[in-house]
Amino acid sequence: MSKMLNVRELFPEGQLRFIAGPCAVESEEQIDAAASFLSSRGVKILRGGAYKPRTSPESFQGLAEKGLKILRKAADQYNMLVVTEVMDEENLELVGEYTDIFQIGSRNCQNFSLLRAVGKLDRPVLIKRGFGNTVEEFYQASRYISKEGNDQIIMVERGIRTFEDSTRFTLDISAVPVLKEKVKYPVLVDPSHPAGKREYVPSLTYAAVGAGADGIMIEVHPEPERAMSDARQQVDFKTFEKIYGQAMKIREAMS
Ligand SMILES: [Mn+2]
């Protein structure tokens, strides 16, 4: 399962790599379909939430350990790595049994005890920017992890809360060059959560690549309309394929 991973090998400088998969793990069939498709297109890291930090407590909260097992099985079958969110320290050990990369979600970006806890482990940590955090606060959050000894960090810009409400969050494209100046870690962009609508996901992806992102973390679902969370922003396989191809062309044009 988990080997010693180096984030710079996963996201080499000057290249573009994708992390993709559905918002939430919903069933074995759904994850198998996603992993089978994505791996065939060259995606090496599978995403999917087993614990979902939802705005409403009545919303789908995730399959928990059952979801982790489903992710692990599909990733092993298709030779992929798993990145999934750990929401609290209590679940760190359990999530660690299944994931290759720990994800710290936007709502936990400044959960300093959780950051310290993953900082003590020898496994990569993907941290998403808090939607109410400045770039400097995001940077300092990464230092809570590295200070404990773990410098295998991946930073993800995922949009911030502004007065603008025509999109779900405002994607802060400027954060990409600013972070790349501050840290040696890979800087990725999640175009799905700021978009809120799948129609905007391609444009935000291309903008991120143009800004110099090392990778894209995108929500892809075999049947987006039927998704149990974030249904409006997940793209189907066909759309993913188009986005992926175009994004790679933009990256090539830049080198
Ligand atoms: Mn989501």
Side-chain angles (χ1 to χ4, degrees):
M1 183 179 100
S2 56
K3 358 165 184 356
M4 280 291 273
L5 292 167
N6 180 289
V7 292
R8 265 300 161 202
E9 282 168 22
L10 296 177
F11 295 94
E13 197 78 59
Q15 292 187 36
L16 182 67
R17 297 278 164 87
F18 278 69
I19 296 177
C23 177
V25 180
E26 297 166 4
S27 69
E28 199 161 337
E29 297 68 38
Q30 170 226 25
I31 294 299
D32 187 83
S36 163
F37 166 75
L38 293 166
S39 63
S40 76
R41 296 305 183 274
V43 177
K44 300 263 186 247
I45 309 178
L46 179 65
R47 60 146 293 146
Y51 299 89
K52 299 305 298 174
R54 308 300 303 285
T55 303
S56 161
E58 273 76 41
S59 300
F60 174 60
Q61 300 290 311
L63 296 182
E65 189 171 7
K66 187 180 169 208
L68 295 172
K69 284 193 171 128
I70 291 172
L71 273 177
R72 184 73 261 158
K73 189 180 166 199
D76 287 344
Q77 187 174 345
Y78 296 100
N79 198 22
M80 297 174 88
L81 297 172
V82 168
V83 58
T84 198
E85 178 165 0
V86 58
M87 276 173 61
D88 40 52
E89 286 167 80
E90 284 155 63
N91 269 330
L92 202 48
E93 209 179 306
L94 178 66
V95 176
E97 284 175 35
Y98 299 96
T99 197
D100 299 292
I101 303 169
F102 286 110
Q103 176 176 327
I104 302 293
S106 186
R107 286 156 189 82
N108 270 323
C109 183
Q110 287 189 309
N111 181 341
F112 300 126
S113 60
L114 182 60
L115 299 183
R116 283 198 197 96
V118 292
K120 290 188 175 79
L121 305 175
D122 57 358
R123 208 171 300 178
V125 178
L126 177 152
I127 180 168
K128 289 187 141 191
R129 180 179 178 182
F131 53 72
N133 290 140
T134 62
V135 172
E136 177 62 22
E137 286 165 344
F138 185 27
Y139 166 62
Q140 294 299 338
S142 76
R143 294 191 60 240
Y144 271 88
I145 302 168
S146 62
K147 198 162 185 284
E148 299 298 327
N150 188 351
D151 67 349
Q152 293 303 310
I153 299 172
I154 299 165
M155 301 187 76
V156 183
E157 160 61 34
R158 50 79 71 209
I160 53 175
R161 187 61 40 89
T162 66
F163 56 80
E164 181 54 62
D165 60 2
S166 53
T167 49
R168 192 175 175 194
F169 295 93
T170 300
L171 180 61
D172 182 10
I173 280 294
S174 332
V176 176
V178 175
L179 281 169
K180 285 186 70 78
E181 197 175 72
K182 279 179 176 295
V183 299
K184 59 185 187 306
Y185 316 128
V187 175
L188 275 58
V189 167
D190 164 357
S192 305
H193 290 88
K197 284 188 188 176
R198 67 179 65 83
E199 294 88 330
Y200 304 148
V201 172
S203 311
L204 298 192
T205 303
Y206 308 148
V209 179
D214 298 297
I216 299 295
M217 185 178 200
I218 183 171
E219 289 191 341
V220 182
H221 193 291
E223 293 173 286
E225 311 75 28
R226 300 180 64 182
M228 292 166 81
S229 60
D230 291 348
R232 286 288 289 115
Q233 73 195 29
Q234 303 201 56
V235 299
D236 60 17
F237 293 168
K238 199 171 155 229
T239 308
F240 173 81
E241 202 146 21
K242 184 175 179 223
I243 293 173
Y244 187 88
Q246 294 284 100
M248 289 301 179
K249 279 188 206 160
I250 296 170
R251 179 63 254 187
E252 272 168 42
M254 289 167 65
S255 50

